[in-house]
Amino acid sequence: MSSDQLRVLDAVCTYMGLSPDEVRSSRGHPDIVFARRIHDYLCRTDLKLSFPQIQRAMSPIDRPLRSKSCASVIDRVSFVTDMLSSTSPKRERYVRAIAYLRTVLRS
């Protein structure tokens, strides 16, 4: 994992009150899913990382990378992109998180 990607993960974890291991786990708790989506979106849009690069960093060390596993990263990034252009009541949570984290990461 690159130092920039580690900064994004640390910032997301601090913002959400989660550990990196929780975010990298396969658990489906709503806060963990939200953190994963935000991490992947920021890595893709701000760091310009490829989907395989993001997936490799987020895969638990004991789990081999499968080619189809990048589809989950693509789905998470697409979800956030769609959410940001929607009128859903949940949109504001994503907007606030991304704006705050971008501020933190630029400082």
Side-chain angles (χ1 to χ4, degrees):
M1 182 179 296
S2 74
S3 61
D4 287 339
Q5 198 170 7
L6 190 55
R7 282 188 67 221
V8 171
L9 181 60
D10 287 342
V12 169
C13 288
T14 300
Y15 180 78
M16 295 298 299
L18 299 168
S19 74
D21 287 340
E22 287 176 303
V23 175
R24 292 177 71 201
S25 75
S26 59
R27 290 187 49 215
H29 186 276
D31 286 343
I32 294 172
V33 171
F34 179 80
R36 242 183 252 132
R37 286 175 178 161
I38 296 298
H39 169 273
D40 292 356
Y41 179 80
L42 290 172
C43 286
R44 180 68 177 165
T45 59
D46 293 14
L47 301 181
K48 308 292 188 225
L49 296 178
S50 69
F51 293 119
Q53 287 173 311
I54 297 168
Q55 183 60 37
R56 271 193 293 280
M58 291 303 287
S59 293
I61 299 205
D62 60 345
R63 185 185 308 159
L65 181 65
R66 299 180 311 272
S67 60
K68 70 175 191 162
S69 64
C70 289
S72 61
V73 175
I74 294 167
D75 289 346
R76 290 191 296 261
V77 171
S78 295
F79 180 90
V80 175
T81 303
D82 292 344
M83 180 63 68
L84 293 176
S85 63
S86 77
T87 58
S88 168
K90 294 180 182 180
R91 176 186 179 273
E92 193 57 36
R93 182 178 186 205
Y94 285 88
V95 170
R96 277 195 314 266
I98 291 167
Y100 173 80
L101 290 166
R102 282 183 171 154
T103 303
V104 167
L105 292 168
R106 287 186 183 127
S107 61

